[in-house]
Amino acid sequence: MRSRQYGPDLTPPWKNQQPAPEVPAERDLVVEEAATGFCGAVVRCEKTAEGFTVTLEDRFGKHRVFPLVPRGFLLEGRAVTLVRPAGPAPARTPGRTASGSVAVPNARARVARESRIYVEGRHDAELVERVWGDDLRIEGVVVEYLRGIDDLPAIVADFAPGPGRRLGVLVDHLLPGTKEHRIAAQVTGDSVLVVGHPYIDIWQAVKPSSVGIPGWPAVPRGEDWKEGTCRRLGWPVDTPAAWKHILSKVNSYKDLEPELLGRVEELIDFTALPGQE
């Protein structure tokens, strides 16, 4: 009787395993380390005292170093053996989205999920689109704007969030004791996540250095903040033109304050969880 553990030639099955294809560890190649599941883009490949290694960088900028071993990585779900690229490493090419995520070449937009992200106004939506637009299309998450949050409880009730239908909300000036904070507390639940930044207006979430100003001016209570900002910066009091100028200075996440970056990433993760189609 032939043993189930051996093939016709009595060779153990683990010795019959086909060798994995060799793939050069070119810069920006996105792979997954088989043992740990760490996924990232190749940053460099180098020789060390223990042998050749590859350094991967994930979407959050975290680096990890792994040895180049046979069948040590997955490329598009298939086991591969990474090898040193021939010749000097090529110059870094654009392989990141404006949010810092690894770009997916020729990616098609995903069919929109039922989940949504709501922001307060048009400027907020345009800024989120400028930096996270590629990520949102891949995840299938649509951003809409509210024109303020005074009616947020009614809006949430009308949306009817639930399993597979999550709602994320980004709020300006979300500080303890404020009106915004009280409204957020009324609607937050398992299927509703309300997060916010400390700025009076989304304009302030753009770094002053990116706009070319020393800082965002203090505008007294009772004065329209955007118009007051234009006056104090010596700009024409034309808020649509001022916003167009500000937005044109935003090229990536590096032009935004971290207090906004973390909150938007949190909302995308919340609304794009697996199984939320």
Side-chain angles (χ1 to χ4, degrees):
M1 179 179 293
R2 183 180 301 160
S3 170
R4 295 181 181 180
Q5 298 182 0
Y6 295 85
D9 61 351
L10 299 184
T11 302
W14 58 86
K15 290 189 178 181
N16 274 332
Q17 192 175 51
Q18 294 297 318
E22 293 186 346
V23 176
E26 302 284 1
R27 196 178 190 96
D28 288 329
L29 176 73
V30 179
V31 295
E32 178 183 345
E33 203 277 325
T36 64
F38 184 91
C39 184
V42 173
V43 175
R44 58 181 169 273
C45 185
E46 56 192 352
K47 185 176 182 180
T48 68
E50 291 75 31
F52 291 108
T53 65
V54 63
T55 301
L56 303 182
E57 179 185 30
D58 69 9
R59 64 178 294 186
F60 303 108
K62 181 180 179 181
H63 286 199
R64 288 190 63 177
V65 180
F66 300 99
L68 291 183
V69 297
R71 304 182 66 87
F73 299 86
L74 302 178
L75 177 62
E76 298 180 348
R78 298 179 58 190
V80 298
T81 297
L82 288 187
V83 296
R84 294 185 70 199
R92 187 179 181 91
T93 55
R96 301 282 170 172
T97 67
S99 71
S101 301
V102 176
V104 181
N106 303 315
R108 297 180 62 184
R110 183 174 186 157
V111 175
R113 301 174 187 266
E114 287 192 49
S115 298
R116 291 287 187 272
I117 292 176
Y118 285 173
V119 297
E120 285 205 54
R122 183 170 58 84
H123 292 180
D124 307 67
E126 289 175 348
L127 186 62
V128 169
E129 164 62 27
R130 189 171 185 87
V131 176
W132 288 275
D134 290 338
D135 307 68
L136 291 165
R137 279 181 283 279
I138 288 176
E139 297 293 354
V141 177
V142 175
V143 175
E144 301 177 6
Y145 62 92
L146 302 169
R147 299 183 184 276
I149 68 164
D150 288 351
D151 297 325
L152 186 58
I155 292 170
V156 171
D158 184 63
F159 181 81
R165 185 176 172 80
R166 291 186 168 189
L167 179 62
V169 184
L170 179 67
V171 178
D172 297 342
H173 203 231
L174 188 63
L175 299 173
T178 61
K179 173 192 71 175
E180 290 82 1
H181 193 270
R182 291 191 295 273
I183 292 174
Q186 293 178 43
V187 300
T188 298
D190 292 340
S191 299
V192 180
L193 175 64
V194 181
V195 301
H197 55 74
Y199 307 113
I200 295 173
D201 190 272
I202 197 69
W203 290 18
Q204 287 184 308
V206 181
K207 291 180 178 178
S209 58
S210 296
V211 184
I213 59 176
W216 292 105
V219 178
R221 283 180 176 272
E223 182 179 356
D224 183 271
W225 188 86
K226 291 176 181 175
E227 292 183 359
T229 293
C230 290
R231 293 188 188 97
R232 286 160 179 79
L233 291 176
W235 297 349
V237 183
D238 182 343
T239 55
W243 171 243
K244 184 176 180 181
H245 169 71
I246 295 166
L247 189 61
S248 72
K249 302 299 182 181
V250 177
N251 297 304
S252 77
Y253 71 97
K254 297 178 181 179
D255 296 307
L256 303 180
E257 299 288 0
E259 289 83 355
L260 176 66
L261 295 175
R263 302 295 73 76
V264 176
E265 294 283 355
E266 191 176 353
L267 290 177
I268 294 174
D269 290 342
F270 179 76
T271 53
L273 282 176
Q276 294 298 311
E277 282 86 0

